[in-house]
Amino acid sequence: MAIRHFLTLMDLEKDELHAIVQRAIALKNSPALHTDSLKNKTLAMIFEKASTRTRVAFEVAMNQLGGSSMFLSGNDTQLGRGEPLEDTARVVSSMVDFVAIRTFEHSKLELFAKHSRVPVINSLSDDFHPCQLLADMQTYFEYRGDIKGKSVAWVGDGHNMCQSYINAAEQFDFELAIACPEGFEPDAWLLERSKSRVRLVRDPKEAVKNADLIATDVWASMGHEEERARRIRLFAAYQINTELLSLAKSDALFMHCLPAHRGEEVTAEVLDAPGSVVWDEAENRLHTKKALLEFLCA
Ligand code: CP
Ligand code: NVA
């Protein structure tokens, strides 16, 4: 059987993604469901960028399901000294059962996957963050039920998180309005492919109007640190604050993948308001990791 990789949400069928979300909810609610489903399985995590949630969630998920994990930072392996990615993929995947990669260029994930004998999981690239979307979808389902047909507003940078929301709109059948400053749009081909579900607007008020869910992300992602001051200026009108949120549905949820910069992309008031579900969203990284790992090794 062909190896299943998880590089973007489009690698799985809709029903598979929904099943992962439901399994994550079940695992969260019923500790009794925790069998040693990953017994003797090993996950290697090759991370070239910082991480708190993703790393902790992977390590705990493997541990609680009876497996183990190892963390390989870019500089600790021979990759940091120039060993080709293809060779690393062949070697590491001959010993472990899954490889999770956090890197810059998405093409590196694709190259690794091409030469890997085991499933490769995108743990954040410059283009996509599919694992985060599993947690976001779990959180929405828990609070409000099915997201199908709902209105979602993405406000801010059209980077990796936004691009995964575009894929999620396709796979979970919701309407997505994206508001971002000029020059910070998601890739045109992604917008074109999902044009029946996704629209791009300039005005954050227009995106947020009557939305069921509002999501954002930092203005300067990892790799954009040097542009931070410029971005703070250019994104100023895209802050999620109480005034903007008042245009959404009265029971709208707010999500942020975290880490958040209070006073930049979101005010502290919004982050700590009852409609903000960011802490459940973060915890759900663990439950969705378990469900994803079980799915990939089935
Ligand atoms: N949201 C997220 O991926 O967090 P970390 O960068 O802490 O893993
Ligand atoms: N867009 C952010 C997400 C971090 C989880 C980044 O790439 O740094």
Side-chain angles (χ1 to χ4, degrees):
M1 214 175 75
I3 304 164
R4 304 294 300 273
H5 298 296
F6 188 56
L7 306 189
T8 81
L9 288 173
M10 307 313 277
D11 288 336
L12 269 53
E13 301 297 330
K14 285 183 184 188
D15 60 336
E16 293 172 330
L17 292 167
H18 282 80
I20 288 171
V21 168
Q22 292 309 322
R23 174 72 177 159
I25 294 172
L27 283 167
K28 180 175 180 178
N29 294 332
S30 314
L33 288 175
H34 286 77
T35 56
D36 276 355
S37 53
L38 301 182
K39 190 168 184 208
N40 293 333
K41 304 272 183 203
T42 307
L43 166 76
M45 287 181 276
I46 302 177
F47 277 31
E48 295 183 328
K49 289 174 173 170
S51 170
T52 299
R53 282 143 285 267
T54 308
R55 177 179 176 180
V56 173
F58 266 131
E59 293 200 17
V60 175
M62 287 303 296
N63 183 41
Q64 291 186 355
L65 295 178
S68 62
S69 56
M70 74 186 66
F71 185 78
L72 304 165
S73 83
N75 291 335
D76 293 343
T77 67
Q78 298 287 5
L79 270 175
R81 298 177 62 250
E83 182 168 16
L85 201 61
E86 301 90 309
D87 296 0
T88 308
R90 286 189 190 97
V91 173
V92 174
S93 72
S94 72
M95 301 184 204
V96 305
D97 302 279
F98 319 90
V99 182
I101 300 180
R102 172 169 281 211
T103 189
F104 294 87
E105 303 91 338
H106 191 74
S107 57
K108 280 194 183 175
L109 272 151
E110 292 171 335
L111 183 63
F112 196 104
K114 196 171 153 202
H115 296 278
S116 173
R117 284 199 217 165
V118 299
V120 175
I121 302 168
N122 179 359
S123 307
L124 183 75
S125 68
D126 283 348
D127 290 350
F128 298 103
H129 197 6
C131 290
Q132 180 67 50
L133 263 294
L134 293 179
D136 289 24
M137 293 300 102
Q138 177 184 346
T139 310
Y140 194 89
F141 273 75
E142 285 175 340
Y143 273 88
R144 298 282 184 265
D146 201 340
I147 197 165
K148 184 174 182 172
K150 301 290 181 187
S151 297
V152 178
W154 175 269
V155 179
D157 195 5
H159 195 49
N160 42 20
M161 273 300 300
C162 175
Q163 299 207 141
S164 278
Y165 261 91
I166 295 175
N167 287 348
E170 282 287 323
Q171 298 292 59
F172 288 88
D173 296 307
F174 58 79
E175 308 300 318
L176 177 65
I178 299 171
C180 58
E182 241 177 286
F184 298 93
E185 298 83 6
D187 286 345
W189 70 269
L190 272 175
L191 287 171
E192 178 60 28
R193 184 174 71 181
S194 297
K195 63 184 175 199
S196 63
R197 289 255 170 266
V198 181
R199 68 196 166 95
L200 184 67
V201 298
R202 284 290 162 223
D203 185 355
K205 294 194 187 79
E206 196 183 328
V208 163
K209 201 167 168 208
N210 292 325
D212 298 284
L213 166 65
I214 294 98
T216 191
D217 185 12
V218 293
W219 290 340
S221 285
M222 289 182 274
H224 296 158
E225 289 82 359
E226 285 176 9
E227 296 173 24
R228 186 151 180 260
R230 179 172 156 260
R231 282 171 174 260
I232 288 174
R233 280 199 311 279
L234 295 175
F235 280 81
Y238 291 79
Q239 183 188 67
I240 312 285
N241 51 39
T242 310
E243 192 191 338
L244 188 62
L245 273 195
S246 69
L247 302 172
K249 291 212 175 114
S250 56
D251 65 348
L253 298 178
F254 171 73
M255 292 193 197
H256 188 313
C257 63
L258 304 178
H261 291 86
R262 291 169 171 80
E264 290 184 22
E265 74 275 5
V266 60
T267 58
E269 195 184 3
V270 166
L271 201 65
D272 299 325
S276 166
V277 290
V278 299
W279 311 117
D280 292 295
E281 186 188 357
E283 180 192 323
N284 287 340
R285 298 298 309 280
L286 170 64
H287 309 297
T288 47
K289 284 278 184 283
K290 289 181 184 171
L292 175 67
L293 290 161
E294 283 187 346
F295 171 82
L296 291 175
C297 79

